[in-house]
Amino acid sequence: PPSRAYPSTRSRPCYPRLVPEDHALVAGLSGAGKSNFLNTLIASTMISYRPEEVQMYILDFKEGIEFNGYLKYRLPSLRSIATNSDKEFALIMFQELEYEFTNRSEQFKKYDVLGIDAYNAIPGVTKFPKLILIFDEIQELFSGSGNDSIVSDCLNIIRKIVAEGRACGIHLVFASQDFRNCSGISSLFSLMSIRVAIRGTDASASSVLDANNTGYKSLADRNPGAAIFNNGAGSAENNTFFQIAHHKPEERNRLLSEFDKFYSEPEQVEKYKEYQTRCFLSTSESNPNNSFNKMISGLKPFKPISKMKDGYGLLLGTGISRNEDLAPSMIKARGDNLLVVTNEFEMALSIFVH
């Protein structure tokens, strides 16, 4: 689809690039521009790369406040979006990245290559896309009294991806208001060389910079949205001051609508039929890939849900651990009933009423 030029900024533009050795840490308080920076990163990636080149995972632990808007558009560049701060959803995404890491590593070994670029240059192979996981408010992963085993499993995968995943084309972008609250991953910071410190408080900005880097102090004298881009693990000599591009919500929605229109064309639907955004805990109305919406729009033919000759199926939703419809079959038999247990009646009712 046609790209849009971003509004001009008040200082020189900065063009950060995720190169093979890079993961990123982004620090910024609420209202300082962190979400705008992440939205700009997502939009510019979709403009610059085709879905088969780059796929993104988005974890939003602010209860869907910022990234929920992506759910209503057909965006094959977005592989998964979780708009609920459920740690199990984070684990599922990390497990998917771990699977990708293992599969790619095996293929690289089979073809005797060292990384994704060398593998994708082999004639005849199915090329792997680069993968970027964007995790906003990652400190919430380590908060509360949730299942510690889930957090531990997440950390084990994070360590593996940070240390070894870059050659496989897997990159992590972690965002937080203050990375001092992320003790679970602090030992990995030296392996995450890209740092973005956004104007706010000194404590927030300094949490991603080297202890001897005092560049954050000058951010207070700059305009709102001023930030430091640093690609040297926070060392002072690698500071680049820049102004975050202001991507207005209405401009972003207009751009996403253009993407949606383009990727809804029959030719594009067929081309990217395997590139469907997986949405965790979304409503059917906001998710174009929901099975109900596919049937209503004609993208999915009406057919019996159950494979049983004398039964019928109930389409209840999408499985959590596997990206497939959850559709149990029922037959005319004693005790073959469904019991739904919940403390949210309206949510339970929405399973059956579209």
Side-chain angles (χ1 to χ4, degrees), residues 79-100:
R79 183 172 291 190
S80 294
I81 301 178
T83 60
N84 180 280
S85 56
D86 191 316
K87 296 177 182 180
E88 187 175 1
F89 295 158
L91 177 59
I92 291 169
M93 283 202 188
F94 283 122
Q95 287 173 334
E96 289 188 14
L97 287 183
E98 184 180 37
Y99 168 80
E100 289 283 351

PDB file of all heavy atoms in Angstrom, residues 79-100:
ATOM      1  N   ARG A  79       1.783 -11.019  13.730  1.00  0.00           N
ATOM      2  CA  ARG A  79       1.512 -12.445  13.912  1.00  0.00           C
ATOM      3  C   ARG A  79       0.625 -12.688  15.125  1.00  0.00           C
ATOM      4  O   ARG A  79      -0.277 -13.519  15.084  1.00  0.00           O
ATOM      5  CB  ARG A  79       2.815 -13.229  14.047  1.00  0.00           C
ATOM      6  CG  ARG A  79       2.607 -14.729  14.155  1.00  0.00           C
ATOM      7  CD  ARG A  79       3.900 -15.513  14.105  1.00  0.00           C
ATOM      8  NE  ARG A  79       4.526 -15.469  12.795  1.00  0.00           N
ATOM      9  CZ  ARG A  79       5.558 -16.235  12.448  1.00  0.00           C
ATOM     10  NH1 ARG A  79       6.074 -17.088  13.323  1.00  0.00           N
ATOM     11  NH2 ARG A  79       6.078 -16.148  11.237  1.00  0.00           N
ATOM     12  N   SER A  80       0.895 -12.013  16.225  1.00  0.00           N
ATOM     13  CA  SER A  80       0.102 -12.205  17.448  1.00  0.00           C
ATOM     14  C   SER A  80       0.024 -10.906  18.225  1.00  0.00           C
ATOM     15  O   SER A  80       0.982 -10.139  18.271  1.00  0.00           O
ATOM     16  CB  SER A  80       0.720 -13.294  18.350  1.00  0.00           C
ATOM     17  OG  SER A  80       0.670 -14.562  17.745  1.00  0.00           O
ATOM     18  N   ILE A  81      -1.151 -10.675  18.839  1.00  0.00           N
ATOM     19  CA  ILE A  81      -1.333  -9.519  19.715  1.00  0.00           C
ATOM     20  C   ILE A  81      -2.019  -9.993  20.990  1.00  0.00           C
ATOM     21  O   ILE A  81      -3.065 -10.642  20.930  1.00  0.00           O
ATOM     22  CB  ILE A  81      -2.197  -8.419  19.065  1.00  0.00           C
ATOM     23  CG1 ILE A  81      -1.578  -7.927  17.758  1.00  0.00           C
ATOM     24  CG2 ILE A  81      -2.378  -7.250  20.020  1.00  0.00           C
ATOM     25  CD1 ILE A  81      -2.422  -6.878  17.052  1.00  0.00           C
ATOM     26  N   ALA A  82      -1.434  -9.684  22.135  1.00  0.00           N
ATOM     27  CA  ALA A  82      -2.060  -9.961  23.423  1.00  0.00           C
ATOM     28  C   ALA A  82      -2.349  -8.640  24.103  1.00  0.00           C
ATOM     29  O   ALA A  82      -1.429  -7.872  24.391  1.00  0.00           O
ATOM     30  CB  ALA A  82      -1.149 -10.818  24.299  1.00  0.00           C
ATOM     31  N   THR A  83      -3.613  -8.337  24.320  1.00  0.00           N
ATOM     32  CA  THR A  83      -4.007  -7.056  24.901  1.00  0.00           C
ATOM     33  C   THR A  83      -4.550  -7.251  26.312  1.00  0.00           C
ATOM     34  O   THR A  83      -5.460  -6.573  26.740  1.00  0.00           O
ATOM     35  CB  THR A  83      -5.056  -6.362  24.022  1.00  0.00           C
ATOM     36  OG1 THR A  83      -6.207  -7.205  23.917  1.00  0.00           O
ATOM     37  CG2 THR A  83      -4.504  -6.086  22.645  1.00  0.00           C
ATOM     38  N   ASN A  84      -3.970  -8.195  27.032  1.00  0.00           N
ATOM     39  CA  ASN A  84      -4.373  -8.449  28.398  1.00  0.00           C
ATOM     40  C   ASN A  84      -3.131  -8.870  29.168  1.00  0.00           C
ATOM     41  O   ASN A  84      -2.313  -9.620  28.657  1.00  0.00           O
ATOM     42  CB  ASN A  84      -5.434  -9.555  28.446  1.00  0.00           C
ATOM     43  CG  ASN A  84      -5.888  -9.875  29.860  1.00  0.00           C
ATOM     44  OD1 ASN A  84      -5.210 -10.598  30.578  1.00  0.00           O
ATOM     45  ND2 ASN A  84      -7.032  -9.355  30.241  1.00  0.00           N
ATOM     46  N   SER A  85      -2.980  -8.373  30.393  1.00  0.00           N
ATOM     47  CA  SER A  85      -1.758  -8.641  31.150  1.00  0.00           C
ATOM     48  C   SER A  85      -1.810  -9.999  31.846  1.00  0.00           C
ATOM     49  O   SER A  85      -1.556 -10.114  33.039  1.00  0.00           O
ATOM     50  CB  SER A  85      -1.519  -7.525  32.175  1.00  0.00           C
ATOM     51  OG  SER A  85      -2.648  -7.381  33.020  1.00  0.00           O
ATOM     52  N   ASP A  86      -2.142 -11.020  31.085  1.00  0.00           N
ATOM     53  CA  ASP A  86      -2.130 -12.381  31.592  1.00  0.00           C
ATOM     54  C   ASP A  86      -0.774 -12.998  31.261  1.00  0.00           C
ATOM     55  O   ASP A  86      -0.386 -13.102  30.099  1.00  0.00           O
ATOM     56  CB  ASP A  86      -3.255 -13.192  30.936  1.00  0.00           C
ATOM     57  CG  ASP A  86      -3.468 -14.537  31.619  1.00  0.00           C
ATOM     58  OD1 ASP A  86      -2.459 -15.216  31.917  1.00  0.00           O
ATOM     59  OD2 ASP A  86      -4.626 -14.907  31.837  1.00  0.00           O
ATOM     60  N   LYS A  87      -0.044 -13.394  32.290  1.00  0.00           N
ATOM     61  CA  LYS A  87       1.317 -13.886  32.090  1.00  0.00           C
ATOM     62  C   LYS A  87       1.352 -15.151  31.249  1.00  0.00           C
ATOM     63  O   LYS A  87       2.358 -15.429  30.585  1.00  0.00           O
ATOM     64  CB  LYS A  87       1.976 -14.116  33.450  1.00  0.00           C
ATOM     65  CG  LYS A  87       2.139 -12.830  34.247  1.00  0.00           C
ATOM     66  CD  LYS A  87       2.729 -13.048  35.626  1.00  0.00           C
ATOM     67  CE  LYS A  87       2.809 -11.735  36.390  1.00  0.00           C
ATOM     68  NZ  LYS A  87       3.377 -11.901  37.747  1.00  0.00           N
ATOM     69  N   GLU A  88       0.264 -15.905  31.249  1.00  0.00           N
ATOM     70  CA  GLU A  88       0.225 -17.112  30.431  1.00  0.00           C
ATOM     71  C   GLU A  88       0.288 -16.773  28.945  1.00  0.00           C
ATOM     72  O   GLU A  88       0.881 -17.503  28.160  1.00  0.00           O
ATOM     73  CB  GLU A  88      -1.037 -17.929  30.730  1.00  0.00           C
ATOM     74  CG  GLU A  88      -1.052 -19.279  30.022  1.00  0.00           C
ATOM     75  CD  GLU A  88      -2.238 -20.127  30.426  1.00  0.00           C
ATOM     76  OE1 GLU A  88      -3.058 -19.660  31.238  1.00  0.00           O
ATOM     77  OE2 GLU A  88      -2.341 -21.258  29.930  1.00  0.00           O
ATOM     78  N   PHE A  89      -0.326 -15.655  28.564  1.00  0.00           N
ATOM     79  CA  PHE A  89      -0.263 -15.237  27.162  1.00  0.00           C
ATOM     80  C   PHE A  89       1.160 -14.879  26.772  1.00  0.00           C
ATOM     81  O   PHE A  89       1.607 -15.158  25.655  1.00  0.00           O
ATOM     82  CB  PHE A  89      -1.195 -14.050  26.913  1.00  0.00           C
ATOM     83  CG  PHE A  89      -2.652 -14.370  27.097  1.00  0.00           C
ATOM     84  CD1 PHE A  89      -3.565 -13.364  27.361  1.00  0.00           C
ATOM     85  CD2 PHE A  89      -3.114 -15.673  27.015  1.00  0.00           C
ATOM     86  CE1 PHE A  89      -4.912 -13.650  27.536  1.00  0.00           C
ATOM     87  CE2 PHE A  89      -4.458 -15.972  27.187  1.00  0.00           C
ATOM     88  CZ  PHE A  89      -5.357 -14.953  27.451  1.00  0.00           C
ATOM     89  N   ALA A  90       1.869 -14.221  27.695  1.00  0.00           N
ATOM     90  CA  ALA A  90       3.273 -13.904  27.432  1.00  0.00           C
ATOM     91  C   ALA A  90       4.066 -15.186  27.223  1.00  0.00           C
ATOM     92  O   ALA A  90       4.885 -15.288  26.299  1.00  0.00           O
ATOM     93  CB  ALA A  90       3.862 -13.099  28.584  1.00  0.00           C
ATOM     94  N   LEU A  91       3.823 -16.188  28.059  1.00  0.00           N
ATOM     95  CA  LEU A  91       4.538 -17.456  27.929  1.00  0.00           C
ATOM     96  C   LEU A  91       4.251 -18.118  26.595  1.00  0.00           C
ATOM     97  O   LEU A  91       5.157 -18.656  25.950  1.00  0.00           O
ATOM     98  CB  LEU A  91       4.155 -18.396  29.079  1.00  0.00           C
ATOM     99  CG  LEU A  91       4.789 -19.796  29.032  1.00  0.00           C
ATOM    100  CD1 LEU A  91       6.303 -19.712  29.040  1.00  0.00           C
ATOM    101  CD2 LEU A  91       4.277 -20.645  30.191  1.00  0.00           C
ATOM    102  N   ILE A  92       3.000 -18.067  26.154  1.00  0.00           N
ATOM    103  CA  ILE A  92       2.649 -18.680  24.868  1.00  0.00           C
ATOM    104  C   ILE A  92       3.425 -18.026  23.733  1.00  0.00           C
ATOM    105  O   ILE A  92       3.955 -18.698  22.841  1.00  0.00           O
ATOM    106  CB  ILE A  92       1.128 -18.577  24.622  1.00  0.00           C
ATOM    107  CG1 ILE A  92       0.376 -19.470  25.606  1.00  0.00           C
ATOM    108  CG2 ILE A  92       0.785 -18.981  23.193  1.00  0.00           C
ATOM    109  CD1 ILE A  92      -1.112 -19.240  25.620  1.00  0.00           C
ATOM    110  N   MET A  93       3.517 -16.694  23.768  1.00  0.00           N
ATOM    111  CA  MET A  93       4.272 -16.011  22.710  1.00  0.00           C
ATOM    112  C   MET A  93       5.746 -16.372  22.762  1.00  0.00           C
ATOM    113  O   MET A  93       6.378 -16.616  21.728  1.00  0.00           O
ATOM    114  CB  MET A  93       4.090 -14.495  22.826  1.00  0.00           C
ATOM    115  CG  MET A  93       2.766 -13.996  22.310  1.00  0.00           C
ATOM    116  SD  MET A  93       2.860 -12.233  21.893  1.00  0.00           S
ATOM    117  CE  MET A  93       1.126 -11.894  21.571  1.00  0.00           C
ATOM    118  N   PHE A  94       6.304 -16.416  23.957  1.00  0.00           N
ATOM    119  CA  PHE A  94       7.713 -16.786  24.070  1.00  0.00           C
ATOM    120  C   PHE A  94       7.945 -18.239  23.642  1.00  0.00           C
ATOM    121  O   PHE A  94       8.978 -18.554  23.044  1.00  0.00           O
ATOM    122  CB  PHE A  94       8.209 -16.557  25.502  1.00  0.00           C
ATOM    123  CG  PHE A  94       8.478 -15.116  25.828  1.00  0.00           C
ATOM    124  CD1 PHE A  94       7.825 -14.487  26.878  1.00  0.00           C
ATOM    125  CD2 PHE A  94       9.394 -14.380  25.085  1.00  0.00           C
ATOM    126  CE1 PHE A  94       8.068 -13.152  27.176  1.00  0.00           C
ATOM    127  CE2 PHE A  94       9.646 -13.042  25.373  1.00  0.00           C
ATOM    128  CZ  PHE A  94       8.986 -12.431  26.417  1.00  0.00           C
ATOM    129  N   GLN A  95       6.995 -19.087  23.915  1.00  0.00           N
ATOM    130  CA  GLN A  95       7.117 -20.479  23.473  1.00  0.00           C
ATOM    131  C   GLN A  95       7.085 -20.569  21.950  1.00  0.00           C
ATOM    132  O   GLN A  95       7.780 -21.406  21.353  1.00  0.00           O
ATOM    133  CB  GLN A  95       6.011 -21.330  24.087  1.00  0.00           C
ATOM    134  CG  GLN A  95       6.214 -21.610  25.572  1.00  0.00           C
ATOM    135  CD  GLN A  95       5.034 -22.316  26.204  1.00  0.00           C
ATOM    136  OE1 GLN A  95       3.895 -22.215  25.744  1.00  0.00           O
ATOM    137  NE2 GLN A  95       5.288 -23.050  27.276  1.00  0.00           N
ATOM    138  N   GLU A  96       6.283 -19.723  21.314  1.00  0.00           N
ATOM    139  CA  GLU A  96       6.265 -19.697  19.851  1.00  0.00           C
ATOM    140  C   GLU A  96       7.619 -19.246  19.309  1.00  0.00           C
ATOM    141  O   GLU A  96       8.121 -19.791  18.323  1.00  0.00           O
ATOM    142  CB  GLU A  96       5.143 -18.783  19.351  1.00  0.00           C
ATOM    143  CG  GLU A  96       3.754 -19.347  19.575  1.00  0.00           C
ATOM    144  CD  GLU A  96       2.674 -18.518  18.896  1.00  0.00           C
ATOM    145  OE1 GLU A  96       3.020 -17.663  18.048  1.00  0.00           O
ATOM    146  OE2 GLU A  96       1.492 -18.720  19.215  1.00  0.00           O
ATOM    147  N   LEU A  97       8.207 -18.245  19.956  1.00  0.00           N
ATOM    148  CA  LEU A  97       9.539 -17.801  19.534  1.00  0.00           C
ATOM    149  C   LEU A  97      10.577 -18.896  19.761  1.00  0.00           C
ATOM    150  O   LEU A  97      11.488 -19.086  18.940  1.00  0.00           O
ATOM    151  CB  LEU A  97       9.944 -16.545  20.303  1.00  0.00           C
ATOM    152  CG  LEU A  97       9.242 -15.243  19.937  1.00  0.00           C
ATOM    153  CD1 LEU A  97       9.823 -14.092  20.745  1.00  0.00           C
ATOM    154  CD2 LEU A  97       9.355 -14.940  18.453  1.00  0.00           C
ATOM    155  N   GLU A  98      10.439 -19.630  20.856  1.00  0.00           N
ATOM    156  CA  GLU A  98      11.368 -20.727  21.129  1.00  0.00           C
ATOM    157  C   GLU A  98      11.250 -21.801  20.059  1.00  0.00           C
ATOM    158  O   GLU A  98      12.259 -22.360  19.606  1.00  0.00           O
ATOM    159  CB  GLU A  98      11.094 -21.314  22.505  1.00  0.00           C
ATOM    160  CG  GLU A  98      12.079 -22.410  22.903  1.00  0.00           C
ATOM    161  CD  GLU A  98      11.786 -22.976  24.269  1.00  0.00           C
ATOM    162  OE1 GLU A  98      10.582 -23.116  24.611  1.00  0.00           O
ATOM    163  OE2 GLU A  98      12.739 -23.280  25.006  1.00  0.00           O
ATOM    164  N   TYR A  99      10.015 -22.101  19.638  1.00  0.00           N
ATOM    165  CA  TYR A  99       9.819 -23.073  18.562  1.00  0.00           C
ATOM    166  C   TYR A  99      10.482 -22.580  17.280  1.00  0.00           C
ATOM    167  O   TYR A  99      11.158 -23.349  16.580  1.00  0.00           O
ATOM    168  CB  TYR A  99       8.327 -23.305  18.324  1.00  0.00           C
ATOM    169  CG  TYR A  99       8.044 -24.075  17.053  1.00  0.00           C
ATOM    170  CD1 TYR A  99       8.175 -25.456  17.015  1.00  0.00           C
ATOM    171  CD2 TYR A  99       7.682 -23.411  15.875  1.00  0.00           C
ATOM    172  CE1 TYR A  99       7.945 -26.165  15.847  1.00  0.00           C
ATOM    173  CE2 TYR A  99       7.451 -24.104  14.714  1.00  0.00           C
ATOM    174  CZ  TYR A  99       7.583 -25.481  14.701  1.00  0.00           C
ATOM    175  OH  TYR A  99       7.362 -26.165  13.531  1.00  0.00           O
ATOM    176  N   GLU A 100      10.272 -21.300  16.966  1.00  0.00           N
ATOM    177  CA  GLU A 100      10.894 -20.736  15.766  1.00  0.00           C
ATOM    178  C   GLU A 100      12.417 -20.825  15.863  1.00  0.00           C
ATOM    179  O   GLU A 100      13.095 -21.157  14.884  1.00  0.00           O
ATOM    180  CB  GLU A 100      10.467 -19.279  15.583  1.00  0.00           C
ATOM    181  CG  GLU A 100       9.023 -19.083  15.170  1.00  0.00           C
ATOM    182  CD  GLU A 100       8.786 -19.370  13.693  1.00  0.00           C
ATOM    183  OE1 GLU A 100       9.788 -19.558  12.962  1.00  0.00           O
ATOM    184  OE2 GLU A 100       7.626 -19.408  13.280  1.00  0.00           O
TER     185      GLU A 100
END
